[in-house]
């Protein structure tokens, strides 16, 4: 049996993400490039287009992940996790809730993380917005300053931040002191 025929039999001729029956084709799950039974999923045109260009996502289309994230097929789990992660970064709380419920083996989770886009390594605020040098941010909760009894109060504005080699950290001045802050405890102004 050919690879495509095996994939069609596995998915019962339905898109493995949204269950559509139209325009199905095998899709190699990154970082893999070869279409094999172990590294490909059958996707409809809509899912394939949006997986390849996550910035153009139709949020409502991806409500289907509520079902497909429970698939026993690792490559389907990887695609569901990646799409939910993209949606979560766009502020979709329902996607974040599904990510919290989702279970994957460690090997599958590593596969999912390896294939994510380069934005993964950029400093992001609490809402998933990418922070850039010179941005102003607001601290979203009281933060103790390490090695000091000082506390940076919620609502403190840090102007003209700098980025660190560690994408989780930003640096800037607050209350006249230079310090490092964890990016996810800030909100871009």
């Amino acid at each position: 049996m050919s690879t495509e025929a095996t994939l069609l039999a596995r998915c019962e001729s339905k898109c493995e993400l949204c269950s559509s029956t139209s325009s199905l084709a095998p899709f190699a799950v990154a970082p893999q490039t070869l279409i094999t039974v172990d590294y490909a999923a059958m996707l409809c045109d809509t899912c394939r287009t949006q997986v390849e260009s996550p910035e153009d996502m139709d949020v409502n289309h991806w409500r289907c992940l509520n079902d497909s994230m429970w698939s026993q097929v690792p490559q389907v789990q990887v695609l569901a996790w990646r799409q939910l992660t993209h949606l979560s970064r766009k502020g979709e709380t329902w996607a974040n809730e599904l990510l919290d419920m989702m279970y994957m083996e460690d090997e599958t989770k590593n596969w999912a993380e390896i294939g994510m886009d380069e934005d993964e390594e950029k400093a992001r605020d609490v809402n998933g917005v990418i922070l850039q040098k010179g941005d102003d941010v607001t601290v979203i909760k009281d933060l103790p300053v390490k090695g000091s009894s000082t506390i940076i109060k919620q609502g403190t504005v840090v102007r003209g931040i700098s980025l660190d080699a560690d994408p989780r950290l930003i640096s800037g001045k607050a209350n006249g002191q230079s310090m490092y802050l964890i990016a996810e405890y800030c909100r871009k102004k």
Side-chain angles (χ1 to χ4, degrees):
M1 198 181 318
S2 73
T3 300
E4 188 167 343
T6 304
L7 289 170
L8 283 168
R10 180 182 76 199
C11 70
E12 300 174 348
S13 298
K14 294 179 186 171
C15 175
E16 292 187 275
L17 292 177
C18 74
S19 298
S20 171
T21 56
S22 64
S23 304
L24 299 177
F27 178 82
V29 181
Q32 304 299 324
T33 55
L34 296 176
I35 294 177
T36 66
V37 174
D38 294 329
Y39 298 115
M42 289 300 278
L43 301 183
C44 66
D45 281 342
T46 304
C47 287
R48 186 174 35 263
T49 302
Q50 292 187 38
V51 164
E52 291 171 342
S53 302
E55 61 279 354
D56 299 328
M57 273 200 233
D58 173 11
V59 174
N60 289 325
H61 174 76
W62 293 108
R63 298 279 182 172
C64 62
L65 295 174
N66 192 36
D67 296 324
S68 57
M69 69 184 235
W70 301 111
S71 172
Q72 295 301 305
V73 178
Q75 51 272 40
V76 176
Q77 291 177 349
V78 166
L79 289 171
W81 185 87
R82 289 176 184 170
Q83 292 307 98
L84 287 170
T85 300
H86 286 301
L87 290 162
S88 178
R89 288 178 181 169
K90 290 183 177 218
E92 297 297 326
T93 54
W94 62 269
N96 200 34
E97 290 168 4
L98 290 180
L99 275 172
D100 289 342
M101 289 190 292
M102 192 170 183
Y103 173 79
M104 293 191 301
E105 296 291 333
D106 290 339
E107 186 177 310
T108 307
K109 179 90 182 254
N110 288 338
W111 180 10
E113 291 171 345
I114 288 169
M116 287 298 289
D117 62 9
E118 293 175 7
D119 289 345
E120 185 79 26
E121 296 300 319
K122 295 188 178 176
R124 294 177 179 275
D125 74 357
V126 67
N127 297 319
V129 175
I130 296 173
L131 298 173
Q132 297 177 1
K133 183 178 179 180
D135 284 343
D136 296 340
V137 296
T138 304
V139 177
I140 62 165
K141 69 179 212 172
D142 290 352
L143 299 173
V145 176
K146 209 174 202 177
S148 164
S149 61
T150 309
I151 293 180
I152 304 288
K153 294 288 188 186
Q154 177 180 349
T156 300
V157 175
V158 181
R159 299 194 186 281
I161 64 165
S162 296
L163 304 178
D164 191 67
D166 182 345
R168 296 174 303 139
L169 298 177
I170 58 172
S171 62
K173 279 192 171 188
N175 302 331
Q177 285 183 296
S178 293
M179 65 190 68
Y180 285 94
L181 298 165
I182 297 173
E184 65 188 40
Y185 294 133
C186 301
R187 181 178 49 248
K188 186 174 177 178
K189 285 192 73 117

